Amino acid sequence: MATVTTPGISIAPPPTYAPGKSAAAVIWDWMTTVDHKKIGVMYIFLGIIYFIVGGVEALLIRAQLATPNGKVLTPSQYDQVFTMHATTMIFLFIIPVFAGFANYFIPLMIGARDMAFPRLNAFGLWMLLFGGLFLNSSFFLGGAPDAGWFAYAPLTEPAYNPGRSMDFWAAGLTLLGISSIVGSINIIVTTLKMRCPGMRFNTLPLFVWTTLVQNFLLLFALPSLTTAAIFLLFDRHLGTSFFKAENGGDPLLWQHLFWAFGHPEVYILILPVFGIISETLPVFSRKPIFGYIFIAWSSVAIGFLSFVVWVHHMFATGLPDVALAFFASSTTLIAIPTAVKVFNWTATLWGGSIVTKTPLLFSVAFLTMFPIGGLSGVSLAVVPFDWQITDTYYVVAHIHYVFFGGSALGILAALYYWFPKITGRMMSEKLGVWNFWLVFIGLNLTFFPMHMLGLLGMPRRQWTYHEGLGWNLYNFVASIGAFTIAAGILLLIINLVASFRSGERAGADPWDAWTLEWATTSPPPEYNFVKTPVVRSRRPLWDQKHPDDQDWMRGEH
Amino acid sequence: MRGSRLKPSTSRRSSLSLILVLALPILLSACTWGGNHSQLNPASEPSHLINRIWWIMFWMSVAIEGLVAGLVVLALIRFRRKAGDPDPVQISGNTRIEIAWTIAPALILVVLLVLTLTTMINVSEPAGDKMRVTVTGHQWWWEFDYQGMNIVTGNEMHIPVNEPVHLDLRSADVIHSFWVPSLQGKRDAIPGHDNTLWISADKPGTYRGECTEFCGPEHANMNFIVVAQPRTEFDAWVKNQQQPAATGQTGLEAEGAQTILTQACAGCHTINGVKGFAGKVGPNLTHIGSRQNIAAGTLDNTPANLARWIRNPQEVKPDNKMPTLGLDDDTINKIVAYLESLK
């Protein structure tokens, strides 16, 4: 593979590890590291551990609801499990895994040697670890949070929730918020200030673009959640009445503060995947992304719009019709930049020469599944329909097509795509294909029937349901699907472990890709690049491999 | 030549299986539209209007998802790389096409937005005098107080067919949400907020409703029914409900009427016409014998179920607010006989 060098890019020699390092020394090295790649790997590792924890919680939910009058969980256990399932998947799986990929790959993709603030980076990681442990320790210290991940007041006030569980939730999310904020400052500064010569905004890899937007969202959205959580702690412990109606407070204040964070949050959980897909689809179609500018700037548009749509979570709260009309319009508007992206990705495949390796399978699965969540999202902007459907299983179906059909499939694509870079070894294609089909079939079996449950009147967040309502079959199928997904994820874990130990050697650039992370060894040396790369277009490695047909020569960026 | 003919057919077979997998959930979902608690079975003007907009969106979504998934599958078949294929033409975009497919969804969405706003107007509460009911959500049951009519019921609301009814939604504790899928969209009952809603039914029937805002452990068992009756039947119901509670007729019923006074029931429940029975924590029991369900739709209202409920409410509906009083079977049977006589 490409060993020719153009000015600025050169493959580093394979790293040499000092032999005979003791286990204690290795652990100490990882605990004290400020290397963005090691920190990135730890983020991803933690994220996968919590993915398993959140997944087990999901299986408990589906076991309880597989049949009417289920006896697997008591009502209060069910409430803890569904609250922690969402909290874990959002704050301890998706956000950390994105932080991991951003940490590992942004410096590599922009030709930098580390993040802007390496120690702050380590601090963010360890805050995440302790925040996650703190939150989950509640299971053993009197019960886990049980008021839903949305934690609507006044159900969280001491009068209705006298235990300690919501204190764990409010304080835990504040800790995790600090972790996310320092992480996002670091990623923003790194992207703005550490790009190699020639890397302009117009040549930035799209993963970097969407992750940049995502981190701006984190930075501006999280303070609203932290404020709400601290008000709640004041209400619970200092006798204030921010959310107590009987003393002149307002429960709706909580909802406004929460969703002013919560809706940008939805895009925080999907934007990096937009970037991942924009990296994998071109590489496996063997042609550039279709409409780079549209994809990059529609992400910016989504970023801004995501701050003015939060009330669509509150259409049934009795707000004035004028307010509802405004937020219906803004919510409708945000569908446009998202739709444009879907068409651009489809056009990237079209006319390509498609290599159907596992990362591509997960990417096209994303491309077909995410729009289902997008379309049902549009239907939630239709206020009168939303009055019918909000807080039913239809919304559960919607968010899972977005977060599983979207975020999780994108993360799986990224794992298969970047694993060779991180470990120097390929993942097994055979296991990967099985992993893919089980997850793909499982997710449709699990989440598609939930649309029907919502339409047939099944509210969400209920620990049990009666017979004779026409819900039994759909619930049973959904539970079968959940265990199918679990089997697929089990194969993923096996594949990760087996390939890490004995996968085929990857080499520097196994996919014949075009961005800078593939211009160094797998795994990269601590300093990333021997020489700081210099780029002239969006595909520096294409230019390097095709000296007579470089992108910039054709007037392309 | 033969080889190239073989290849598409195998990939076509795999794409066929992909389509089958995609279609499976849709086939599954075609089984049933549910009963009297489904927005797919509308039974009022607003729910018909909302149902219509749903079907428009549904077919629009099917078309768009079909287009995207179809193109992706087609691309996977047509453009799958074979050994020795050269790199494809390096096309990186087409501004005109991209502007076109920015405008196309925008137009569709404008249509949808117009439909949204007009439907919002069309389902708003009609003017005119109406029967008014204060609906109060409690952890975990519903209270219906017919304003100025001296009727308070629990978990069962009767309305006359084809007459709009105004609802004032209140909460006694946390946020609840009032939803009767076949009749109307939902509206939250929020402490400190005076929300309103209106309902009507265009044919007689019993419509199931439920709480749809998570409100604690027994959120699942906070259901109710709306019984829509022809005007004359409704008037008869009103007349009956306005009567004070019956006094026990048979021996067991009469004994129960005495026994219940010696127990803790009055602390939480009201029975109109029985002195000292004015508790506000649990449902009004004045006409409990006339209701179809007990414990907010948890059980059918039968003597055996009522006895089971009084014997151990925490077994039937864990974490609910009614304590297990430890009554003996004899006492329970008397109380059940009395309560079931309160038609």
Side-chain angles (χ1 to χ4, degrees), chain A residues 12-266:
Chain A
T16 48
Y17 293 108
K21 242 182 173 182
S22 72
V26 171
I27 291 170
W28 181 248
D29 177 43
W30 281 82
M31 281 176 65
T32 56
T33 188
V34 291
D35 175 7
H36 72 98
K37 295 182 292 298
K38 283 183 176 160
I39 291 171
V41 166
M42 286 191 278
Y43 263 115
I44 296 168
F45 182 76
L46 262 182
I48 292 174
I49 298 288
Y50 278 117
F51 181 47
I52 296 168
V53 172
V56 169
E57 285 157 356
L59 292 180
L60 284 171
I61 292 172
R62 285 319 318 168
Q64 166 68 12
L65 296 179
T67 55
N69 306 312
K71 292 274 182 282
V72 179
L73 299 171
T74 66
S76 64
Q77 286 171 340
Y78 183 86
D79 294 347
Q80 295 175 41
V81 167
F82 91 77
T83 300
M84 288 305 288
H85 165 68
T87 306
T88 302
M89 287 302 195
I90 291 168
F91 293 100
L92 297 172
F93 164 52
I94 300 181
I95 291 185
V97 167
F98 286 163
F101 284 131
N103 259 302
Y104 199 106
F105 288 104
I106 285 184
L108 285 168
M109 290 174 117
I110 64 173
R113 288 201 159 150
D114 207 325
M115 298 286 283
F117 309 114
R119 280 181 227 185
L120 199 62
N121 207 9
F123 174 72
L125 171 77
W126 297 108
M127 280 300 278
L128 170 79
L129 177 70
F130 291 120
L133 287 175
F134 176 78
L135 200 51
N136 279 285
S137 67
S138 58
F139 273 114
F140 312 101
L141 298 169
D146 56 359
W149 88 281
F150 48 94
Y152 275 8
L155 190 59
T156 51
E157 294 286 347
Y160 307 105
N161 204 318
R164 286 281 160 267
S165 68
M166 289 319 292
D167 299 324
F168 275 102
W169 185 86
L173 287 203
T174 305
L175 290 177
L176 294 177
I178 294 170
S179 161
S180 286
I181 285 176
V182 299
S184 58
I185 289 172
N186 203 356
I187 287 166
I188 290 168
V189 175
T190 304
T191 309
L192 296 183
K193 303 301 289 182
M194 312 268 292
R195 302 188 307 277
C196 67
M199 179 80 71
R200 293 166 301 128
F201 272 104
N202 226 358
T203 46
L204 217 50
L206 283 166
F207 174 71
V208 183
W209 249 119
T210 59
T211 302
L212 178 67
V213 176
Q214 180 227 13
N215 282 287
F216 271 109
L217 293 192
L218 268 173
L219 196 56
F220 288 105
L222 270 170
S224 185
L225 175 69
T226 309
T227 306
I230 287 171
F231 282 179
L232 178 62
L233 287 172
F234 283 179
D235 268 18
R236 290 176 62 85
H237 296 290
L238 303 181
T240 58
S241 296
F242 286 102
F243 311 119
K244 293 175 193 158
E246 65 272 23
N247 297 346
D250 190 351
L252 270 194
L253 173 64
W254 172 271
Q255 295 191 22
H256 282 294
L257 287 172
F258 184 81
W259 290 116
F261 149 79
H263 205 84
E265 173 74 5
V266 172

Side-chain angles (χ1 to χ4, degrees), chain A residues 229-554:
Chain A
I230 287 171
F231 282 179
L232 178 62
L233 287 172
F234 283 179
D235 268 18
R236 290 176 62 85
H237 296 290
L238 303 181
T240 58
S241 296
F242 286 102
F243 311 119
K244 293 175 193 158
E246 65 272 23
N247 297 346
D250 190 351
L252 270 194
L253 173 64
W254 172 271
Q255 295 191 22
H256 282 294
L257 287 172
F258 184 81
W259 290 116
F261 149 79
H263 205 84
E265 173 74 5
V266 172
Y267 289 94
I268 287 166
L269 298 176
I270 196 73
L271 274 165
V273 166
F274 291 170
I276 289 163
I277 298 305
S278 305
E279 299 300 330
T280 55
L281 286 177
V283 167
F284 291 92
S285 305
R286 312 306 309 150
K287 66 196 255 290
I289 190 80
F290 193 93
Y292 173 97
I293 296 286
F294 270 68
I295 291 184
W297 288 95
S298 64
S299 302
V300 177
I302 286 173
F304 280 106
L305 285 171
S306 72
F307 282 98
V308 291
V309 296
W310 80 90
V311 166
H312 71 229
H313 295 270
M314 301 166 61
F315 281 159
T317 56
L319 294 171
D321 278 358
V322 176
L324 302 189
F326 173 83
F327 284 96
S329 312
S330 61
T331 305
T332 309
L333 205 58
I334 204 169
I336 298 171
T338 313
V340 168
K341 282 194 169 63
V342 169
F343 295 137
N344 277 317
W345 289 321
T346 310
T348 304
L349 286 171
W350 200 263
S353 179
I354 302 169
V355 185
T356 49
K357 292 280 178 33
T358 321
L360 186 274
L361 294 181
F362 281 110
S363 305
V364 293
F366 164 91
L367 187 48
T368 50
M369 293 299 107
F370 173 72
I372 298 178
L375 289 162
S376 59
V378 169
S379 75
L380 296 173
V382 176
V383 178
F385 181 67
D386 182 90
W387 286 335
Q388 279 284 16
I389 217 70
T390 185
D391 281 321
T392 70
Y393 261 87
Y394 184 90
V395 182
V396 180
H398 159 70
I399 52 166
H400 284 93
Y401 268 95
V402 173
F403 290 155
F404 204 101
S407 311
L409 288 181
I411 287 169
L412 287 166
L415 275 176
Y416 277 89
Y417 180 59
W418 278 324
F419 183 89
K421 178 52 60 183
I422 295 172
T423 63
R425 291 178 184 275
M426 303 300 288
M427 284 179 79
S428 156
E429 269 296 309
K430 200 173 171 188
L431 278 173
V433 170
W434 275 97
N435 173 193
F436 167 76
W437 281 109
L438 284 170
V439 166
F440 182 76
I441 294 168
L443 95 90
N444 282 294
L445 284 179
T446 311
F447 303 121
F448 203 88
M450 291 183 183
H451 292 111
M452 287 305 300
L453 284 172
L455 291 166
L456 297 180
M458 181 164 170
R460 63 196 293 199
R461 298 161 187 147
Q462 50 176 48
W463 73 279
T464 188
Y465 56 96
H466 294 257
E467 275 179 89
L469 297 167
W471 300 342
N472 300 10
L473 175 68
Y474 301 111
N475 271 303
F476 189 70
V477 171
S479 296
I480 300 276
F483 285 89
T484 312
I485 295 175
I489 299 304
L490 190 65
L491 287 187
L492 169 76
I493 305 297
I494 293 170
N495 200 351
L496 286 170
V497 173
S499 302
F500 177 72
R501 300 176 72 170
S502 56
E504 191 190 323
R505 292 277 175 201
D509 182 17
W511 310 118
D512 192 8
W514 302 313
T515 39
L516 282 179
E517 77 269 33
W518 306 103
T520 180
T521 52
S522 306
E526 197 169 343
Y527 45 84
N528 292 352
F529 302 98
V530 180
K531 287 199 303 185
T532 300
V534 178
V535 300
R536 301 192 67 166
S537 76
R538 289 172 197 146
R539 301 194 296 170
L541 267 67
W542 169 277
D543 293 349
Q544 184 188 350
K545 293 166 191 171
H546 304 82
D548 301 328
D549 182 30
Q550 302 189 32
D551 281 347
W552 59 270
M553 293 173 174
R554 280 178 274 116

